[in-house]
Amino acid sequence: MVLMTIESYPGAKLVMITPPPVHHEQRLEFQKQRYKEKATGILERTLESAEKYAEACTKVASELSIPCLDMFKLMRDDGDGDFGRFLSDGLHFSEDGHQFVCEKLLECVEKEYPSVHVQPDPITGQDNNSGSKCQDIESSGPYHDEIDHVDWKESFQRFKDKFYQSTSRKRPRRESKLLMS
């Protein structure tokens, strides 16, 4: 699957991510809540099987020289050792878990692929507005704060004009019919 991705998207910047650890007690409690008297008390996922998948993932990533976020180890070894806070049902991420993965992924991208790491707006510190920049990812249109709601077509035309002036790209011969209508 990874090789197919590399073949299909040769310029893609990949990061492999292992599964998180499985929290047995949470998983069994979830099973009781969900299935009530039909709960079997038998885990369908285990810490041991998640660890084997994590080891296989890190091995493939290493063999293919792809960065790997080992969420199994990162979560298991974080702080006080109670990785249950990262999981909502012993298997899937909780809000804290999603935040943890996001932070680790952003750190990984900044380290491994700095040209696609978003540089925050120097004024606001935000990384999701018109002042933020990303070296290797071109903007595909004006940001919301650059669009005139009365004449939105003109806003997009100004963006296109500025884009073609600042790059060596040539304008397409035919304009999009969507912008013309």
Side-chain angles (χ1 to χ4, degrees):
M1 185 164 52
V2 178
L3 291 175
M4 187 184 314
T5 302
I6 292 169
E7 271 183 34
S8 299
Y9 305 97
K13 295 173 179 0
L14 303 179
V15 175
M16 293 182 66
I17 303 176
T18 71
V22 175
H23 195 280
H24 289 177
E25 292 78 21
Q26 276 186 351
R27 199 70 196 141
L28 289 170
E29 185 57 36
F30 169 78
Q31 193 184 93
K32 288 179 195 172
Q33 289 175 2
R34 176 139 188 208
Y35 300 108
K36 312 237 182 295
E37 68 279 346
K38 293 183 181 180
T40 65
I42 300 169
L43 291 166
E44 83 287 6
R45 304 277 198 310
T46 65
L47 185 64
E48 294 78 18
S49 64
E51 187 171 30
K52 287 180 184 176
Y53 276 102
E55 288 169 355
C57 182
T58 57
K59 181 179 179 201
V60 169
S62 176
E63 289 171 358
L64 298 174
S65 299
I66 297 172
C68 182
L69 268 181
D70 190 344
M71 295 315 299
F72 185 92
K73 283 185 181 174
L74 288 168
M75 287 183 167
R76 184 192 63 194
D77 300 343
D78 185 68
D80 60 7
D82 177 24
F83 60 85
R85 72 181 184 283
F86 296 125
L87 306 167
S88 62
D89 60 3
L91 181 64
H92 300 98
F93 297 129
S94 64
E95 186 174 339
D96 286 347
H98 283 288
Q99 186 63 39
F100 186 79
V101 172
C102 180
E103 289 167 9
K104 297 299 179 189
L105 184 56
L106 288 172
E107 288 170 12
C108 179
V109 169
E110 184 175 18
K111 177 183 172 202
E112 301 291 338
Y113 303 115
S115 67
V116 295
H117 174 70
V118 176
Q119 302 299 318
D121 180 320
I123 297 169
T124 67
Q126 295 177 332
D127 55 11
N128 60 349
N129 65 19
S130 57
S132 59
K133 302 288 180 234
C134 185
Q135 178 183 329
D136 280 358
I137 300 177
E138 297 172 357
S139 181
S140 58
Y143 280 91
H144 65 89
D145 58 349
E146 297 172 334
I147 299 173
D148 178 352
H149 72 282
V150 176
D151 190 0
W152 62 269
K153 289 181 185 179
E154 177 59 28
S155 300
F156 278 83
Q157 188 60 53
R158 273 196 315 271
F159 174 84
K160 283 175 35 180
D161 292 344
K162 190 165 97 177
F163 173 79
Y164 287 112
Q165 287 172 357
S166 67
T167 67
S168 59
R169 292 185 182 207
K170 294 184 178 180
R171 288 183 181 270
R173 283 187 256 190
R174 215 165 25 127
E175 294 290 331
S176 167
K177 290 184 180 189
L178 289 174
L179 283 179
M180 302 309 236
S181 55

